[in-house]
Amino acid sequence: MLPWIQLDSAPIPGESGELRLKQRGSEFSIMLGSNELMNSRLSGSEEALATLSREKIKGRARPNVLIGGLGMGFTLRAALSVLPQDASIIVAELVPAVVRWARGPMSEVFQGCLDDPRVAIHQGDVGGLVRRSKAQFDAILLDVDNGPDGLTRRSNDRLYDFAGLRAARDALRPGGVLAVWSSGPDAGFTRRLGECGFAVEAVNTRANGKRGGARHVIWLAVK
């Protein structure tokens, strides 16, 4: 079996940890300490984040979508495949190196999706962008950290508390959807979404789509 090779590492702004990009043959992994945050062989639940959200806003002209977290681009690529040509997608990524990796060693994984004219990259905290936006987005897709149970940044908790969820609701247009990826269920988060005025659906999905893998959860919260 081929060994893992570390290609690069990058600090997480505002935190003490760092991300590490590793490669084994054609497979890539992004690690935080001993935790694997994402793997290029497992994309099903990240793709579902985009496709399930699209169903909630289907038929809208010129949809404006915000994706929190670039990761390995699976959510972005899936969004591009289902959204119309008049859509606009902003991808907010906090760690500059992740964008650099997308255009460099992982360019084959990304398949040029960052060059799609519908896509704009916002280098910075998605929470700050959400708080500054009022009735701007048809969909906000959050694949940030480990879900509501934060792992990489304590400040990510602000996305999922009452104030963060109300800010997301205010940033959505009427009928817009807040979609949140998580590594596991969280009944308290489901209740918070409801208490913040969303109609909530929690969907179970698999890391590798229909082929199995770990069980993940996607919340679809409609304003």
Side-chain angles (χ1 to χ4, degrees):
M1 180 178 290
L2 292 172
W4 283 104
I5 299 171
Q6 181 166 316
L7 301 180
D8 198 8
S9 63
I12 302 172
E15 300 293 329
S16 58
E18 68 173 16
L19 299 181
R20 294 182 292 125
L21 176 64
K22 301 173 69 175
Q23 182 177 9
R24 180 174 63 186
S26 61
E27 179 183 1
F28 292 90
S29 174
I30 295 179
M31 306 282 295
L32 173 68
S34 61
N35 295 300
E36 184 177 63
L37 299 181
M38 58 202 78
N39 185 290
S40 60
R41 294 175 58 246
L42 302 172
S43 60
S45 59
E46 288 86 353
E47 292 166 353
L49 181 66
T51 56
L52 292 171
S53 300
R54 165 60 174 162
E55 289 301 311
K56 297 294 184 181
I57 60 168
K58 202 166 185 177
R60 293 193 178 204
R62 296 184 295 279
N64 193 17
V65 175
L66 171 63
I67 298 176
L70 176 60
M72 292 188 174
F74 297 124
T75 298
L76 173 59
R77 281 171 48 196
L80 288 170
S81 72
V82 296
L83 288 171
Q85 290 302 309
D86 61 1
S88 299
I89 305 174
I90 299 173
V91 182
E93 174 53 55
L94 180 70
V95 182
V98 173
V99 180
R100 188 172 71 247
W101 297 341
R103 296 190 181 279
M106 289 198 296
S107 59
E108 289 189 9
V109 176
F110 278 80
Q111 299 178 10
C113 65
L114 295 184
D115 299 320
D116 190 294
R118 293 172 288 178
V119 177
I121 297 293
H122 170 82
Q123 188 172 299
D125 177 27
V126 67
L129 182 57
V130 167
R131 289 189 292 273
R132 294 192 297 272
S133 303
K134 303 299 178 186
Q136 181 174 342
F137 300 108
D138 296 288
I140 299 173
L141 283 54
L142 297 181
D143 184 4
V144 176
D145 211 318
N146 221 33
D149 182 17
L151 178 67
T152 63
R153 299 181 74 223
R154 289 185 298 274
S155 57
N156 283 335
D157 293 339
R158 294 201 300 263
L159 288 170
Y160 305 116
D161 62 17
F162 283 106
L165 295 178
R166 292 185 184 110
R169 181 196 61 201
D170 292 344
L172 287 168
R173 294 168 177 164
V177 62
L178 169 66
V180 178
W181 180 97
S182 176
S183 62
D186 187 329
F189 183 63
T190 302
R191 287 194 297 271
R192 276 203 305 281
L193 285 165
E195 291 169 9
C196 288
F198 289 102
V200 188
E201 179 184 2
V203 179
N204 294 315
T205 185
R206 303 298 288 266
N208 211 15
K210 294 180 179 179
R211 290 173 290 175
R215 297 180 183 274
H216 297 152
V217 177
I218 294 171
W219 283 275
L220 300 169
V222 176
K223 179 176 177 178

